[in-house]
């Protein structure tokens, strides 16, 4: 088992360049299935979720040519399969976008039940509700989902909860449908990015990023264009919170500062500093113990659930007692047990956790329970006294490009040790 070995206690200092957004990339890749042509995508994060998606697209008949580590062309003119390989789709969550995209293109699709981080129940009833509103018949059973339609016709889609995935999936399904679809739901940056991508390729989507998205169906997406994936809001937020946790001074480049406002607001409330330097650059620094703050995770533009564990590390050594309420996922406090092994004083129950700030954390072997938990444990290792070993790196590699290299450039003492070397130790 590979592990990250981190020797703390380092104030992070320097510049970090943010990669393209994982959660936009994993929707844009399946969206290419709606195109009858060739498109180029750049600023793709070099992460395992992107690689798996490319493998699935190849299985479906797409031709993928890598131009560089972060740029590829996809030729979807000869899609020959509408059944995505069940073992591959069940490896990660975003495979659910294959349903909307292949339904849109072929009117008939089967995929395995989506997998992904274990954050509690992850139903897709709202996705299904949207597909059905456009005329599809959906069957779920025996570990797979089948959706079929004679034709897809635009409709008004009212989702019962705010869902990023369902909003994007219904949008994918509606792009080539007859008539107009209206979705009144989430307005998160990754949704806007997928809409921008589809519009660049010939779709007619208006209002993404506002309360109401209007999709006028078109006959064909032409491709024949280049699109650059939006910078990753969550990766940027991870480094912002790492700067505060380590009492460091980090300049975050290639980020959209507007998307980071919910995090900046909390950083200022804690008594740390954040300054927009212009040109997609944000400086975050902290020169004293941060004050306690309370956090409630909410859909965008609220505080993102995907930064809740990283914020938990900051609060572990803040002045006083802070409370986090997790309102999106039911099991997103598993990381608190790992932080407690490092000397944190956290009591988590249900969707609430109480963080009693301690003076410092101390190194320990810890296990990433999911992607963002993994990022949080790396930050914990960087601020802790002594040596921390972080295991279960497969979670982290799903969503962060070159994470240890980026932290190393900021001064962290962090090494990836491979299984063989680890055994010899
Ligand atoms: N929900 C339902 N029914 C549905 C869909 C969602 O009840 O049909 C519930 C979920 O159980 C959850 C809430 O609605 O309680 C919000 O879920 P949403 O659909 O917005 O989540 P998602 O689209 O599946 C994406 C990200 C997650 C991120 C959430 C919230 C991707 C691939 N994943 O998930 O990212 O936490 O939005 O912002 O885009 C991560 O990157 O670590 C991660 C987990």
């Amino acid at each position: 088992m590979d592990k990250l070995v981190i020797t703390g206690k380092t104030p992070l200092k320097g510049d970090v360049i943010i990669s393209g957004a994982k959660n936009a990339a994993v929707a844009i890749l399946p969206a290419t299935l709606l195109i009858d042509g060739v498109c180029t995508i750049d600023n793709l994060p070099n992460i395992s979720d992107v690689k798996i998606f490319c493998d699935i697209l190849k299985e479906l008949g797409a031709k993928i040519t890598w131009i560089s580590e972060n740029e590829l062309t996809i030729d979807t003119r000869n899609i020959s399969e509408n059944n995505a390989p069940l073992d591959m789709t069940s490896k990660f969550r975003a495979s659910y976008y294959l349903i909307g995209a292949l339904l849109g293109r072929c009117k008939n699709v089967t995929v395995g039940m989506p997998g992904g981080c274990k954050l509690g129940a992850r139903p897709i009833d709202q996705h299904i509700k949207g597909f059905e509103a456009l005329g599809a018949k959906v069957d779920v059973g025996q570990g797979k989902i089948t959706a079929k339609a004679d034709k897809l016709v635009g409709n008004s889609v009212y989702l019962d909860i705010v869902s990023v995935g369902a909003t994007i999936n219904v949008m994918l399904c509606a792009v080539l449908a007859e008539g107009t679809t209206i979705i009144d739901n989430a307005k998160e940056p990754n949704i806007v990015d997928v809409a921008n991508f589809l519009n660049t390729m010939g779709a007619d989507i208006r209002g993404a990023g506002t309360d109401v998205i209007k999709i006028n169906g078109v006959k064909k997406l032409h491709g024949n264009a280049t699109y650059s994936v939006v910078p990753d809001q969550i990766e940027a937020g991870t480094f912002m919170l790492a700067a505060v946790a380590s009492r460091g001074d980090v300049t975050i480049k290639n980020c959209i500062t507007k998307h980071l406002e919910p995090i900046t607001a909390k950083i200022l409330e804690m008594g740390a500093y954040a300054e927009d330097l212009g040109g997609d650059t944000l400086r975050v620094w902290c020169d004293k113990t941060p004050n306690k703050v309370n956090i409630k995770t909410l859909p965008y533009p609220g505080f993102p659930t995907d930064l809740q564990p990283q914020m938990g590390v900051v609060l572990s050594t803040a002045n006083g007692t802070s409370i986090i309420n997790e309102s999106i996922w039911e099991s997103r406090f598993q990381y608190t047990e790992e932080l407690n092994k490092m000397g944190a004083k956290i009591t988590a129950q249900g969707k609430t956790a109480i963080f009693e700030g301690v003076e410092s954390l101390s190194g320990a072997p810890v296990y990433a329970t999911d992607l963002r938990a993994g990022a949080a444990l790396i930050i914990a290792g960087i601020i802790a006294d002594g040596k921390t070993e972080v295991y279960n790196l497969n979670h982290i590699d799903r969503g962060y490009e070159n994470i240890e290299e980026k932290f190393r450039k900021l001064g962290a003492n962090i090494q990836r040790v491979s299984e063989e070397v680890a055994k010899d130790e």
Side-chain angles (χ1 to χ4, degrees), residues 40 61 86-87 98 136 147 150 153-154 194-195 215 217 230 234 249-250 257 259 268 284 326 334 365 423:
T40 304
L86 301 191
D87 56 327
L98 291 164
D150 293 331
V153 181
V194 179
I215 304 141
V230 70
I234 302 303
D249 188 343
V250 176
T257 51
H259 295 167
L268 298 176
V284 175
E326 169 59 53
Q334 296 169 68
K423 266 196 230 140

Side-chain angles (χ1 to χ4, degrees), residues 35 76 136 154 169 204 295 309 361 365 384 425:
I35 298 171
T76 41
N169 228 344
D204 182 357
I295 301 283
L361 300 180
E425 275 182 354

Side-chain angles (χ1 to χ4, degrees), residues 3-9 341-342 361-366 377 380-391 413 415 417 422 425:
K3 61 183 178 182
L4 288 174
V5 180
I6 307 166
T7 309
K9 186 175 187 170
K341 289 184 197 163
M342 300 176 73
L361 300 180
S362 46
V366 284
L377 293 176
I382 289 169
I383 69 171
D385 283 319
K387 185 167 112 176
T388 295
E389 291 163 320
V390 182
Y391 292 93
N413 184 340
Q415 306 298 332
V417 179
E425 275 182 354

